[in-house]
Amino acid sequence: MIYLDNAASSHPKPLEVLRAVSRQLRENGANPGRSGHRMSADASETVYRTRALLAQEFGTDPETVLFTQNTTDAINRALKGLLQKGDHVVISDLEHNSVLRPLVALREKGIEFDVAQTTENEEETVNNFQQKIKSNTKLIFCTHASNVTGQILPVHAVGALCRRYGILFGVDGAQTAGVESYDLKRDPIDLLCIPGHKGLLGPQGTGALILSRPLDLLPITEGGTGTDSLLEAQPKIFPEGYESGTLNTPGIAGLGEGVRFIRKYREAIRRHEGNLRNLFLSEMETIPQFCILSPVGESVGTVAINHISSHSEELCRFLDQSGFCTRGGYHCSALAHKKLKTEAQGALRISFGYRNTEQDVHECIRILKIYQNNCVRT
Amino acid sequence: MSTRCLGVRSVTYAQKARDVLTANGVACRILRQNRISGCGWCVALSAASIPKAEALLRENGVKTTGEYYDLS
């Protein structure tokens, strides 16, 4: 199989990641941060090393790196921990359901939100966000790159707008963590939600909510923290007060190796994935029955396409039968498909990873041509 | 040389304190330390290094409880 679904989860992982997960499972199954014995202390050390590495990667302090299960978990913790009755939020029209659905659920608690239209023009996009700001706007939350089309949004400019208005700014880094560089002490970003298992090449079941500084955040899960055990109320201690329950230590061990790998090869990977995307787009020009949904501007290594007359799931099945892992349908992004006017067809998403080759692109194009020819015949 | 334990708010702060102190030549180790509120963590270090340690932790934004315990 040729794997072209890296926007959903990257595959394969570097060998170092596999070894770290395996080593943790084989050699140290102790619970980190709970007991005082040596194995538990070593497990805590593994967690801390990854935490400190993520802090370095994203330009913040280790204690404001809060481990989560994935980006969705991080976004839920951010939105539900920050927002209170009467607050207003602005989001982009390219948000994933992991942003939209918690906000729809929060409407019941008296929290309202508006959607700002994004365009390929930075100034227009920022103006559209500005138009939606109200006196009670507490937060603007915006994806850094669309999970459907790969389009990169001007988060630094939107963040600067937030600074001017004294509004908190949260970013969904699901498609950009490990690809783009961040420095939360410098960038106008207060909260960043990231997956461990996509661009950072870690295992599934890992992610983080990363804060530029300790914010007034309510923990949405209460329980054991390994500290202040005689207190009945949840201690609001960073980070443990926001990570109740046993952590995914093997996953976190693997994530640490993924981050090390990315920090070593990031530029080469970004260039490689960009080249594959460009090659794919230029080859697509030879298949007129397909349309490209992704904009031409700045993008991560993801392309959304459609055949003019068939549903994306049908095309996805054909590619699967031909040995390709891609994604059809709606990519958990109702807003993006409404914007792209692809509610009837969905979209076929092809997302390149560091292990893909030019040969993979040529082979995929060859299969798409066969599909086109089959459609012509029928 | 007597050893004293400086209370910190969590194991992460203990680890951060340990990294800051050892990087600046202050020998220390992390220990569990039960306190009135239950389980806690502390950094054990020589009594003589406390002024330097406190200054380093302040400079590097490492929060402590400000409490010291005798190593029992």
Side-chain angles (χ1 to χ4, degrees), chain A residues 34 45 63 228 230 240, chain B residues 10 12 16 18 32 37 39:
Chain A
R34 297 295 188 265
E45 208 50 40
E63 63 270 25
D228 303 308
L230 297 177
E240 285 82 355
Chain B
S10 70
T12 301
K16 190 176 175 183
R18 188 261 331 268
R32 288 278 284 179
S37 59
C39 311

Side-chain angles (χ1 to χ4, degrees), chain A residues 273-295:
Chain A
E273 291 176 1
N275 289 343
L276 294 179
R277 184 181 192 269
N278 291 341
L279 176 63
F280 181 82
L281 288 173
S282 78
E283 295 278 309
M284 282 299 289
E285 287 172 14
T286 63
I287 332 180
Q289 282 192 15
F290 284 90
C291 61
I292 293 164
L293 302 167
S294 297

Side-chain angles (χ1 to χ4, degrees), chain A residues 75-332:
Chain A
I75 292 169
N76 270 269
R77 286 174 189 279
L79 297 178
K80 292 171 182 171
L82 272 180
L83 300 171
Q84 291 170 348
K85 188 178 178 179
D87 287 340
H88 173 252
V89 185
V90 185
I91 62 172
S92 84
D93 59 357
L94 285 172
E95 297 309 309
H96 191 274
N97 283 348
S98 57
V99 176
L100 179 66
R101 287 180 173 171
L103 288 173
V104 169
L106 284 168
R107 269 187 189 146
E108 302 223 341
K109 293 188 174 171
I111 292 149
E112 49 173 7
F113 71 95
D114 280 304
V115 180
Q117 193 195 346
T118 59
T119 72
E120 285 184 64
N121 180 300
E122 176 176 320
E123 202 180 323
E124 229 171 60
T125 298
V126 174
N127 281 341
N128 291 341
F129 272 101
Q130 190 171 11
Q131 303 284 317
K132 299 289 182 184
I133 293 173
K134 304 204 295 194
S135 59
N136 60 337
T137 303
K138 183 172 190 175
L139 173 74
I140 289 182
F141 200 94
C142 181
T143 187
H144 197 159
S146 164
N147 71 304
V148 180
T149 64
Q151 180 189 351
I152 289 184
L153 296 184
V155 292
H156 288 84
V158 178
L161 172 75
C162 290
R163 288 286 183 271
R164 287 205 297 279
Y165 280 80
I167 295 168
L168 290 169
F169 185 45
V171 170
D172 173 358
Q175 301 300 326
T176 48
V179 180
E180 296 291 315
S181 296
Y182 293 91
D183 183 347
L184 266 57
K185 295 280 185 207
R186 182 200 63 200
D187 301 337
I189 299 172
D190 300 295
L191 313 98
L192 177 67
C193 301
I194 63 150
H197 64 102
K198 295 186 182 182
L200 292 173
L201 303 176
Q204 292 175 11
T206 60
L209 168 56
I210 302 176
L211 310 175
S212 62
R213 62 195 182 282
L215 294 173
D216 188 12
L217 191 71
L218 279 176
I220 64 162
T221 307
E222 292 88 7
T225 56
T227 53
D228 303 308
S229 310
L230 297 177
L231 298 181
E232 290 188 359
Q234 180 81 358
K236 281 169 81 175
I237 296 171
F238 284 94
E240 285 82 355
Y242 299 85
E243 295 177 342
S244 280
T246 302
L247 289 172
N248 173 8
T249 312
I252 290 169
L255 173 57
E257 289 304 322
V259 176
R260 280 187 193 95
F261 188 90
I262 278 296
R263 288 174 70 79
K264 201 166 165 187
Y265 301 113
R266 185 201 324 269
E267 286 313 313
I269 292 173
R270 184 156 49 182
R271 208 166 38 246
H272 177 65
E273 291 176 1
N275 289 343
L276 294 179
R277 184 181 192 269
N278 291 341
L279 176 63
F280 181 82
L281 288 173
S282 78
E283 295 278 309
M284 282 299 289
E285 287 172 14
T286 63
I287 332 180
Q289 282 192 15
F290 284 90
C291 61
I292 293 164
L293 302 167
S294 297
V296 287
E298 226 191 331
S299 174
V300 292
T302 295
V303 186
I305 62 169
N306 261 338
H307 183 264
I308 51 169
S309 62
S310 49
H311 196 280
S312 60
E313 288 288 14
E314 192 187 306
L315 175 58
C316 186
R317 269 195 300 277
F318 183 80
L319 282 163
D320 181 39
Q321 286 156 8
S322 308
F324 286 86
C325 303
T326 61
R327 181 156 173 199
Y330 300 95
H331 318 92
C332 301

